[in-house]
Amino acid sequence: MARLATTSDAFNAVAEPQRRHILDLLAQGERSVNEIAALLELKQPQVSKHLRVLREVELVSVRELGQQRLYRLQGEGLKPVHDWVKPFEHLWRERFDRLADYLKEWQTQGDRMQKITPFLWFDDNAEEAANFYVSVFKNSKILSVTRQQKDGPHPEGATFTVSFQLDGQEFAALNGGPHFIFTEAISLFVNCETQEEVDELWEKLTEGGEESRCGWLRDKYGLSWQIIPTILGELLQDKDPTKSGRVMQAMLQMSKIDIKALQQAYDAA
């Protein structure tokens, strides 16, 4: 009689990342070893070894089709994992129920709601971050704050979402927990008219954060910004490739953008 998969068996089996990738593929349909190996760019013996482990805990089954062996996902093998996770579901379900309520309320605001709104995920400091950003930019304000209700997974009154404006642009921020963090793959681009504006924003946003290159920085909450004078784009688009090339080379040497240095590079003989 085949032994039943235990919670420990299932967790141990899927602890290896490549096995999880294999399960993802099999969730889409049957696959042969060769297909899996090609899609995951693995060697066939590696795939066979992973499939053997998954079969032992009854997460995967196999059937013969001529000379081919096709593997399929056995959903019932994941039941022990599901049963173990189920008592913890309320920890995130209530959070996302609150998020759905917030979005529904937000969508009833009618004309005030802009078409596309950046939605920022923080661990537990969304309100602190929003207040900081509002203090940095002119024409900015907090629009609304929703807080944790009774009997939730977090303290009553704790901030859940924040809606705010930065120079007229609306943003939303969520205290979603530590699951996701910001990366430089997305940044907020700020057009600046003067060097004074560049200097002021650079100083405020790098406090507690870090400088990068070419006008990029990361603030103390991990969010990336580009503080860019409008003249940079104008100089880089100049019809004279020699001049625009000199501007590009000058910019590549900078952290904070220096308008005077850009103009000198542009004007150089």
Side-chain angles (χ1 to χ4, degrees):
M1 178 178 178
R3 69 184 177 89
L4 294 176
T6 66
T7 303
S8 178
D9 288 332
F11 271 118
N12 288 336
V14 300
E16 210 289 324
Q18 296 296 353
R19 292 180 200 143
R20 294 198 296 272
H21 293 322
I22 290 173
L23 292 176
D24 287 340
L25 286 177
L26 296 181
Q28 301 168 23
E30 291 182 322
R31 305 275 186 181
S32 68
V33 172
N34 289 336
E35 286 180 302
I36 296 171
L39 289 168
L40 297 182
E41 299 182 350
L42 296 174
K43 295 180 180 179
Q44 184 175 332
Q46 288 177 283
V47 174
S48 296
K49 182 179 179 181
H50 289 317
L51 286 169
R52 184 166 61 252
V53 173
L54 294 171
R55 286 186 65 195
E56 287 176 355
V57 296
E58 300 179 1
L59 292 177
V60 165
S61 64
V62 62
R63 72 181 181 94
E64 305 285 342
L65 183 63
Q67 295 184 340
Q68 202 174 33
R69 304 184 75 183
L70 297 177
Y71 292 84
R72 67 173 66 180
L73 179 66
Q74 292 290 97
E76 60 270 21
L78 292 170
K79 188 175 185 302
V81 179
H82 175 269
D83 291 344
W84 185 86
V85 171
K86 192 170 182 61
F88 302 98
E89 287 183 355
H90 71 279
L91 296 177
W92 63 80
R93 179 176 295 163
E94 192 275 344
R95 184 178 293 249
F96 284 104
D97 286 345
R98 291 281 296 142
L99 176 58
D101 292 342
Y102 166 73
L103 292 174
K104 195 175 297 182
E105 177 184 347
W106 198 29
Q107 289 170 345
T108 62
Q109 294 174 357
D111 295 338
R112 197 180 71 77
M113 184 179 179
Q114 64 193 26
K115 187 70 171 178
I116 298 175
T117 300
F119 202 101
L120 308 176
W121 179 301
F122 294 86
D123 180 359
D124 59 1
N125 52 5
E127 187 173 12
E128 176 189 316
N131 282 319
F132 170 69
Y133 298 141
V134 165
S135 74
V136 170
F137 293 93
K138 298 176 181 177
N139 188 30
S140 302
K141 60 184 177 180
I142 300 293
L143 297 175
S144 64
V145 179
T146 62
R147 301 193 181 278
Q148 179 68 58
Q149 303 300 309
K150 278 186 177 181
D151 303 322
H154 304 286
E156 183 180 359
T159 301
F160 183 62
T161 59
V162 185
S163 177
F164 60 101
Q165 278 186 350
L166 300 181
D167 201 9
Q169 164 77 40
E170 285 195 27
F171 292 79
L174 166 73
N175 276 335
H179 315 294
F180 305 108
I181 61 174
F182 297 119
T183 74
E184 286 80 357
I186 188 168
S187 60
L188 301 181
F189 188 104
V190 184
N191 284 301
C192 300
E193 296 298 328
T194 66
Q195 187 65 53
E196 290 73 17
E197 186 180 7
V198 170
D199 293 345
E200 179 183 358
L201 293 177
W202 190 268
E203 179 180 359
K204 291 180 178 179
L205 289 171
T206 55
E207 182 179 356
E210 60 180 322
E211 298 183 358
S212 187
R213 305 291 295 173
C214 305
W216 291 63
L217 65 86
R218 186 162 55 189
D219 68 31
K220 58 187 175 183
Y221 301 103
L223 185 60
S224 292
W225 299 79
Q226 295 184 63
I227 309 302
I228 306 297
T230 54
I231 194 174
L232 174 60
E234 297 170 7
L235 297 178
L236 288 175
Q237 295 177 44
D238 192 89
K239 294 180 180 180
D240 186 335
T242 301
K243 290 184 175 182
S244 62
R246 289 199 300 264
V247 173
M248 174 64 76
Q249 290 305 311
M251 184 267 292
L252 291 174
Q253 306 304 312
M254 299 176 183
S255 292
K256 179 178 70 175
I257 301 299
D258 184 333
I259 294 177
K260 183 177 180 181
L262 294 177
Q263 191 65 57
Q264 288 174 342
Y266 179 84
D267 294 334

